[in-house]
Amino acid sequence: MSIIIIDHLNIAPKIQEVLESIYDPELKPANIVDLGLVYEIITKEGGIAKIVMTLTAPGCPVAGEIMDEVQRKVAAVEGVNEALVELTFDPPWNRDMMSEEAKLELGFL
């Protein structure tokens, strides 16, 4: 699954790079982008960046930690004044959303 990008500030590549440094501790070494957990990166006037993402399961024990890290790291990107993280389970995550690299790293291929 590819990320939907709506980038009015031309900083989505920097945001995606930051997101690629975040890991679900239960699924290392694959980052949240390669796992297919990031659905959208949206930037708007005023330096607002919104990340729409999911988790591998609604009851993920590290959900708060992952979302806090996403919010904190995106907020630190130059040009971002406010970082919003929206959690969704529509569509629900499944292994088919993972990149081939992530599947290989995790032994699913």
Side-chain angles (χ1 to χ4, degrees):
M1 182 172 162
S2 60
I3 300 172
I4 296 170
I5 297 177
I6 302 169
D7 190 10
H8 295 284
L9 304 176
N10 297 318
I11 57 174
K14 291 180 192 174
I15 292 171
Q16 183 168 339
E17 184 177 325
V18 163
L19 294 173
E20 290 170 350
S21 74
I22 300 171
Y23 299 86
D24 180 329
E26 297 178 322
L27 293 171
K28 272 189 172 182
N31 65 63
I32 63 171
V33 172
D34 287 340
L35 287 172
L37 300 179
V38 178
Y39 291 170
E40 298 179 21
I41 298 172
I42 303 165
T43 65
K44 300 178 182 179
E45 297 299 320
I48 298 169
K50 179 179 175 183
I51 308 303
V52 179
M53 63 177 292
T54 193
L55 301 168
T56 55
C60 177
V62 292
E65 294 170 36
I66 294 171
M67 292 180 62
D68 287 347
E69 186 175 1
V70 168
Q71 193 281 326
R72 191 173 60 255
K73 286 188 172 183
V74 171
V77 171
E78 187 177 337
V80 174
N81 296 323
E82 182 179 4
L84 309 170
V85 182
E86 180 180 315
L87 184 62
T88 185
F89 291 99
D90 184 27
W93 180 86
N94 64 66
R95 287 183 184 178
D96 293 337
M97 296 174 164
M98 295 169 52
S99 69
E100 294 299 310
E101 181 179 291
K103 289 177 186 175
L104 185 61
E105 286 177 336
L106 296 171
F108 295 141
L109 286 181

